[in-house]
């Protein structure tokens, strides 16, 4: 939420907030999307100073996030963090990761549909 990871729990009906904002919940261990309704833990303060990222979403590279990988429609593409360009995708939803250190990327990213340097045969279709 707002770029932060927040704890949540399963709920029979969900909450108006999570339903209206179409938030998605993921397993903190394996990153699988939770298929049912959920609520943000009631004792959780707003997502600002307290928020932190799980260890496996912190890129250890310098500079951070040098080369992101994401699979779209069955093909791997390179990308970079941010929203300056087209197309922009949600890295968390699409399972993006740093190609160098393997950290999961949880923010918005631009996909470079023309960069084929990551393929063994760049002329491959």
């Amino acid at each position: 939420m707002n770029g932060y990871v927040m704890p949540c729990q399963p709920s029979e009906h969900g909450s108006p907030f999570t339903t209206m904002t179409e938030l998605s919940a993921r397993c903190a261990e394996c990153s699988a999307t939770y298929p049912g309704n959920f609520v943000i833990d009631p004792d959780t303060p707003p997502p600002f100073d307290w928020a932190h990222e799980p260890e496996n979403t912190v890129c250890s590279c310098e500079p951070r996030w040098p080369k992101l990988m994401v699979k779209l429609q069955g093909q791997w593409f390179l990308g970079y963090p941010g929203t300056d360009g087209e197309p922009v995708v949600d890295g968390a939803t699409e399972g993006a990761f740093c190609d160098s250190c393997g950290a999961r990327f949880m923010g918005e990213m631009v996909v470079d549909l023309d960069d084929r340097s990551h393929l063994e045969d760049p002329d491959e279709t």
Side-chain angles (χ1 to χ4, degrees):
M1 184 170 131
N2 295 337
Y4 293 107
V5 175
M6 298 185 70
C8 58
Q9 58 191 16
S11 170
E12 184 178 344
H13 301 291
S15 72
F17 179 74
T18 57
T19 304
M20 286 176 22
T21 56
E22 297 181 8
L23 294 175
S24 63
R26 293 181 168 274
C27 174
E29 294 290 318
C30 70
S31 198
T33 301
Y34 181 68
N37 295 317
F38 65 95
V39 295
I40 295 172
D41 285 336
D43 297 329
T44 302
F48 298 109
D49 296 337
W50 70 272
H52 60 83
E53 298 178 7
E55 289 177 20
N56 61 346
T57 62
V58 178
C59 181
S60 60
C61 302
E62 283 299 330
R64 298 246 192 276
W65 309 110
K67 184 165 64 167
L68 296 175
M69 293 294 296
V70 66
K71 192 172 194 175
L72 299 172
Q73 298 175 350
Q75 292 186 339
W76 289 101
F77 293 96
L78 292 172
Y80 55 89
T83 58
D84 185 22
E86 291 291 330
V88 175
V89 298
D90 178 0
T93 301
E94 300 299 338
F97 61 92
C98 175
D99 193 41
S100 299
C101 72
R104 288 184 297 146
F105 183 72
M106 305 291 279
E108 291 183 314
M109 63 179 284
V110 176
V111 177
D112 188 343
L113 300 174
D114 297 324
D115 188 343
R116 303 179 63 72
S117 63
H118 61 286
L119 299 173
E120 287 182 28
D121 178 5
D123 297 322
E124 170 185 307
T125 58

